[in-house]
């Protein structure tokens, strides 16, 4: 949420992503059906608790899709799962850091670095809750403790 919207529930990206977790309306529509089991309303994207619930569900689905790898899930969240799947396919067998750096979108690489850095900062600030959340690996599921491109 910090990186996506700077905690602005009315945030709107140039690409059309909305709310705290910057969900695209088409993505949110599917999430509302599967997670909330109600009819989609655009207003859900501006409601902080609903948007956070949908964003968390989307991130979890990406973690599942990308084998629990937080780097790939975050890159998919920001740059799209199809693009991330293509990057992985084109770079199969390469080390994780080289795959990450081969992602064609600088914005996505920068986004992942920042989220991983914020994750570590929050862990330092709130050590008592560091094990809570997505699979006992913190909010983003980031368990490696490494921040790509930041001396790791």
């Amino acid at each position: 949420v910090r990186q996506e919207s700077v905690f602005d529930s009315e945030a709107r990206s140039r690409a059309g992503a909305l709310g705290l977790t910057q969900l695209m309306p088409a993505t949110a529509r599917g999430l509302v059906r599967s997670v909330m089991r109600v009819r989609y309303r655009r207003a859900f994207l501006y409601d902080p608790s609903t948007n956070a619930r949908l964003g968390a569900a989307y991130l979890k689905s990406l973690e599942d899709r990308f084998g629990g790898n937080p780097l790939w899930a975050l890159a998919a969240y920001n740059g799209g799962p199809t693009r991330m799947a293509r990057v992985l396919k084109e770079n199969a067998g390469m080390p994780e850091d080289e795959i990450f750096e081969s992602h064609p979108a600088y914005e996505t690489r920068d986004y992942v670095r920042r989220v991983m850095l914020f994750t570590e900062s929050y862990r330092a600030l709130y050590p008592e809750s560091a094990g809570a959340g997505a699979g006992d690996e913190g909010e983003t599921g980031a368990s490696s403790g490494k921040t790509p491109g930041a001396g790791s």
Side-chain angles (χ1 to χ4, degrees):
V1 173
R2 162 64 179 89
Q3 184 61 27
E4 286 293 340
S5 65
V6 192
F7 303 104
D8 178 4
S9 64
E10 302 289 321
R12 179 182 175 93
S13 75
R14 292 185 309 270
L18 304 172
L20 285 177
T21 64
Q22 291 291 280
L23 291 170
M24 295 297 287
T27 301
R29 186 171 283 111
L31 288 165
V32 165
R33 279 193 296 264
S34 66
V35 173
M36 298 173 62
R37 303 201 189 289
V38 297
R39 189 168 172 224
Y40 172 80
R41 292 192 342 244
R42 191 176 183 96
F44 289 152
L45 294 175
Y46 294 109
D47 176 69
S49 64
T50 303
N51 187 284
R53 181 178 174 195
L54 296 173
Y58 184 49
L59 181 58
K60 174 67 172 125
S61 75
L62 294 171
E63 286 181 328
D64 292 346
R65 178 173 175 176
F66 292 99
N69 187 308
L71 300 178
W72 308 158
L74 288 168
Y77 192 100
N78 180 263
T82 302
R83 179 182 271 182
M84 190 64 233
R86 186 173 61 242
V87 167
L88 290 169
K89 183 178 179 182
E90 291 171 355
N91 297 284
M94 292 177 64
E96 185 175 271
D97 61 331
E98 290 181 33
I99 294 172
F100 175 77
E101 292 299 333
S102 72
H103 195 289
Y106 170 80
E107 178 185 324
T108 295
R109 293 189 313 269
D110 187 54
Y111 168 85
V112 172
R113 285 186 193 107
R114 289 176 183 268
V115 171
M116 297 299 285
L117 181 64
F118 292 138
T119 298
E120 294 307 314
S121 297
Y122 285 119
R123 282 189 179 138
L125 286 170
Y126 305 105
E128 66 280 357
S129 61
D136 289 340
E137 297 170 357
E139 187 162 317
T140 64
S143 61
S144 69
K146 296 183 202 170
T147 303
S152 57

